[in-house]
Amino acid sequence: MPQNEYMEEHRKKFGRRYDFEELQRKKKGREPHKNSEMAQKLRGIKAKLHNRKRFVEKAEMKKTIRLQQAKDAKKKADDDEKVPDGAVPAYLLDREGVSRTKVLSNMIKQKRKEKAGKWQVPIPKVKAMSEAEMYKVMRTGKRKKKAWKRVINKVTYVGENFTRKPPKFERFIRPSGLRFKKAHVTHPELKTTFYLDIVGVKKNPQSTLYTSLGVITKGTIIEVNVSELGLVTQTGKVVWAKYAQVTNNPEVDGCINGLLLV
């Protein structure tokens, strides 16, 4: 093994920290403050180079925002559109029945919603759960004095190629009897229920830790595979996965019931 690959090797063997995504999110949130502090401290040629780089970045960002905010554009009406009866005044002849339509497609709106997390969900609020309700403490060691392990009491989802860590390093234990791979998802418009594969856990309202662990409780947003439903976008592309909200308590009912977010 090359000398500089020991970190990748360790990551492959033992995985990342359980709060890795949360730390990355916080680090990304601190970046603007760091940039601001650096811009105020730099002097001379370094300041000029930094300002030039920021100017280019901001110009690119403004251009992207301007493109997305072009709410509507003019387009000529189709030939089959209804022509108004009677005589048309001279000052209206050059308009040729121009109609206005929105440029922003539903796909961009949906991506924005995903980014902001502002879904119109069936269950907007859920009851908070205590740690004692979510998992129990497992005592380990020769005299059972160590109490750092936790056994999760709720239903969980783990990926296809999931491998447990060695017992010495595994803090959160997800029992295999409470692992689910499929969910009963109801389409609100078709009024039909489908038994679909779970792709992942998008957000657990209880905590980001439970999201990263794949814990599924009431109100959790999960991603399900809808390829067999034959849904297509406006451009004609097949939709492979969509989000659904869990509407029951899976650990009580023994199954996951959810409502598709259309």
Side-chain angles (χ1 to χ4, degrees):
M1 181 181 75
Q3 189 179 358
N4 61 341
E5 286 182 6
Y6 60 92
M7 289 177 77
E8 286 84 351
E9 188 72 23
H10 184 274
R11 200 176 297 136
K12 282 177 187 173
K13 281 182 179 176
F14 307 110
R16 297 184 186 275
R17 287 171 54 132
Y18 67 90
D19 57 351
F20 173 76
E21 287 81 9
E22 183 70 8
L23 293 174
Q24 290 295 104
R25 185 186 66 78
K26 287 181 178 176
K27 187 179 178 183
K28 199 174 180 182
R30 286 194 298 267
E31 275 177 11
H33 301 283
K34 283 192 175 181
N35 285 338
S36 172
E37 193 179 344
M38 190 188 292
Q40 290 172 38
K41 284 184 178 179
L42 288 175
R43 295 286 181 272
I45 189 68
K46 285 187 177 179
K48 283 185 178 179
L49 291 169
H50 179 77
N51 290 340
R52 179 66 194 162
K53 183 185 167 190
R54 288 293 296 148
F55 177 79
V56 173
E57 284 176 7
K58 284 179 181 177
E60 195 67 35
M61 196 188 301
K62 281 179 183 173
K63 201 185 290 180
T64 311
I65 291 168
R66 207 177 298 123
L67 282 172
Q68 289 184 345
Q69 283 180 347
K71 297 261 179 165
D72 41 357
K74 291 184 179 181
K75 76 164 189 182
K76 289 193 176 180
D78 299 331
D79 296 332
D80 57 348
E81 277 190 1
K82 196 163 69 176
V83 179
D85 296 332
V88 180
Y91 62 86
L92 289 177
L93 285 172
D94 59 338
R95 296 199 181 180
E96 297 177 2
V98 174
S99 66
R100 296 171 76 77
T101 180
K102 289 194 174 178
V103 172
L104 285 177
S105 66
N106 284 342
M107 190 170 67
I108 294 171
K109 286 181 183 175
Q110 192 171 348
K111 281 184 180 175
R112 280 185 181 177
K113 278 184 181 177
E114 283 175 28
K115 198 171 181 182
K118 291 174 183 173
W119 289 99
Q120 292 296 324
V121 290
I123 306 171
K125 289 185 179 180
V126 289
K127 194 187 81 172
M129 290 186 183
S130 62
E131 288 190 358
E133 198 177 351
M134 195 63 79
Y135 43 67
K136 65 178 181 181
V137 178
M138 176 187 258
R139 295 194 166 271
T140 53
K142 189 175 181 182
R143 293 175 179 82
K144 306 294 179 191
K145 283 192 174 182
K146 296 175 183 176
W148 60 279
K149 282 181 183 260
R150 302 286 181 270
V151 180
I152 295 169
N153 298 327
K154 303 293 177 185
V155 165
T156 55
Y157 167 78
V158 294
E160 287 293 322
N161 303 320
F162 171 74
T163 309
R164 284 181 65 176
K165 288 182 182 177
K168 199 172 182 181
F169 302 108
E170 187 179 36
R171 186 178 183 206
F172 293 99
I173 299 165
R174 291 167 275 190
S176 54
L178 285 171
R179 291 183 202 165
F180 280 65
K181 291 186 178 178
K182 290 202 166 194
H184 301 278
V185 179
T186 304
H187 196 293
E189 291 171 7
L190 300 176
K191 300 287 189 290
T192 317
T193 304
F194 303 94
Y195 193 45
L196 304 174
D197 291 314
I198 300 172
V199 179
V201 177
K202 174 71 177 173
K203 186 168 178 64
N204 189 313
Q206 303 294 339
S207 167
T208 50
L209 169 63
Y210 303 141
T211 305
S212 59
L213 288 170
V215 178
I216 299 172
T217 55
K218 189 174 183 177
T220 303
I221 305 292
I222 57 172
E223 199 172 3
V224 289
N225 187 354
V226 293
S227 55
E228 60 190 52
L229 303 188
L231 301 175
V232 290
T233 60
Q234 288 183 337
T235 53
K237 291 181 180 177
V238 177
V239 179
W240 294 105
K242 276 187 98 61
Y243 294 132
Q245 189 179 32
V246 178
T247 54
N248 71 324
N249 293 311
E251 70 280 357
V252 177
D253 299 339
C255 65
I256 300 172
N257 297 335
L259 200 64
L260 204 67
L261 303 178
V262 183

